[in-house]
Amino acid sequence: MLYWWLKYVFVGWWLRLIYRPKVEGLSNIPKTGPAIVASNHLSFSDSIFLPLVVPRKITFIAKAEYFTGSGVKGLFSRFFFTGVGAIPVDRSGGRAAAGALETGKRVLAEGELFGIYPEGTRSPDGKLYRGKTGVARLALESGARVIPAAMMNTGELQPIGKKLPKIGRVHIKIGEPIDFSRYSGLAGDRLVERAITDEIMYELMDLSGQEYIDTYAAKFRNAAAAESPQKETPAAS
């Protein structure tokens, strides 16, 4: 209930007024039935604007810590992520992938839309990075079709580190659903899951026009951080 109140009464109307989202391919979202909405990830606001423009509820996962904070900040975080339809998942101790998969399967089994970012994290530089195969495993185990959704300019409106997006028109492209039923029964086959994931990422590249980098975004970010020159300590006089 809170999701719909925020979307249509408290927040959604002024977001639409200020950011005037332009959406191409909205008719590719089915009116009923389960589907996986796989999106590139440029900005924190992707999880706000994508659900805003899709008539049906999209359920994303979020770190459990967002729901357990204390004080005013913790209360606001809990209210916000609950309001946007996010489900808390424990991402510690290697449990993130399994938790996300089980959550996604449950949402899809209820005939709903499940949102996922195959890159696993926000792009550090606006390029499209290698997708993780969890989206393929989810598609194979649930039988749901995958709908690619490209966020076009949210990274420009809200770069990493910026708390609020600057004023500008949001642009989103939604592709046609992809049916992977031809791979039915092959969940767990690494080659098949990689092929499916790569096909999804190709569709996202085609929709978004982003340059594709065949490495994981998190790995690229960590390598870049390790190579950054350390500030030299002034020599003692």
Side-chain angles (χ1 to χ4, degrees), residues 25-45:
L26 190 57
S27 60
N28 289 320
I29 300 290
K31 294 182 179 180
T32 59
I36 301 165
V37 181
S39 174
N40 60 339
H41 200 10
L42 299 173
S43 166
F44 176 83
S45 61

Side-chain angles (χ1 to χ4, degrees), residues 51 66 95:
Y66 288 146
R95 296 171 54 87

Side-chain angles (χ1 to χ4, degrees), residues 135-158:
V135 63
R137 177 70 65 91
L138 183 58
L140 292 174
E141 293 192 359
S142 68
R145 293 182 297 173
V146 177
I147 302 172
M151 311 303 293
M152 303 297 293
N153 62 341
T154 50
E156 300 169 12
L157 297 179
Q158 188 184 21

